Amino acid sequence: MNPRAFHRDIKGPNILLDKNGTAKMADFGLSCVSSNAHHKVQQASGTVGYACPEYIRSGIITEGSEVHSFGMVLLELLTGAPPAVQRPDKPNEFCYLVDHLQGSSTKVIQMLDATGHFPMPLATSLTEMAF
């Protein structure tokens, strides 16, 4: 699309389902539009754990940044674990799910949320998509 729309806050609570179960994005409060494949923002925003570390570091949002956030949504869906948890001993620091998983599909499968009743082929496919 031109111009490109960047949501900048893709996370589970911002994905709503209509009566047919079709996913719809919500909360475009941080969104921006750009005629380029990337966009430099004054201040990187988003939710801790979902936001792409490269975007947070550089302030440049890209399609890849949005894909990273969607991958975190998938990992959260599969594991039932939030993408970031505030450290109790250091309130200004977080423990990140991606650091724990270290790109390991095996770790995701070991952490599968049992209440999700994921068939193994689906869990494997979603894990590959997330990574």
Side-chain angles (χ1 to χ4, degrees):
M1 298 286 302
N2 199 0
R4 292 178 189 265
F6 297 108
H7 189 276
R8 295 178 54 205
D9 198 20
I10 295 173
K11 60 183 179 179
N14 287 344
I15 302 172
L16 307 178
L17 301 178
D18 69 12
K19 65 182 180 180
N20 300 314
T22 303
K24 307 283 184 172
M25 287 305 303
D27 191 355
F28 288 84
L30 296 177
S31 66
C32 64
V33 176
S34 176
S35 58
N36 297 315
H38 56 76
H39 185 73
K40 174 82 171 153
V41 295
Q42 292 285 342
Q43 181 176 344
S45 300
T47 303
V48 173
Y50 295 96
C52 176
E54 180 64 18
Y55 158 61
I56 297 298
R57 186 190 62 72
S58 68
I60 298 173
I61 189 78
T62 65
E63 186 175 301
S65 307
E66 303 279 69
V67 170
H68 173 90
S69 298
F70 181 66
M72 294 311 304
V73 170
L74 291 178
L75 291 173
E76 180 180 29
L77 176 75
L78 288 164
T79 64
V85 178
Q86 196 172 27
R87 289 183 57 164
D89 56 329
K90 298 179 181 175
N92 293 332
E93 293 183 19
F94 291 85
C95 296
Y96 294 93
L97 179 59
V98 291
D99 291 340
H100 175 73
L101 296 174
Q102 299 178 329
S104 169
S105 297
T106 302
K107 286 186 179 184
V108 174
I109 299 304
Q110 289 171 348
M111 286 183 66
L112 276 181
D113 182 353
T115 64
H117 304 287
F118 294 102
M120 198 49 63
L122 175 62
T124 302
S125 292
L126 288 174
T127 299
E128 290 171 4
M129 189 185 311
F131 286 133

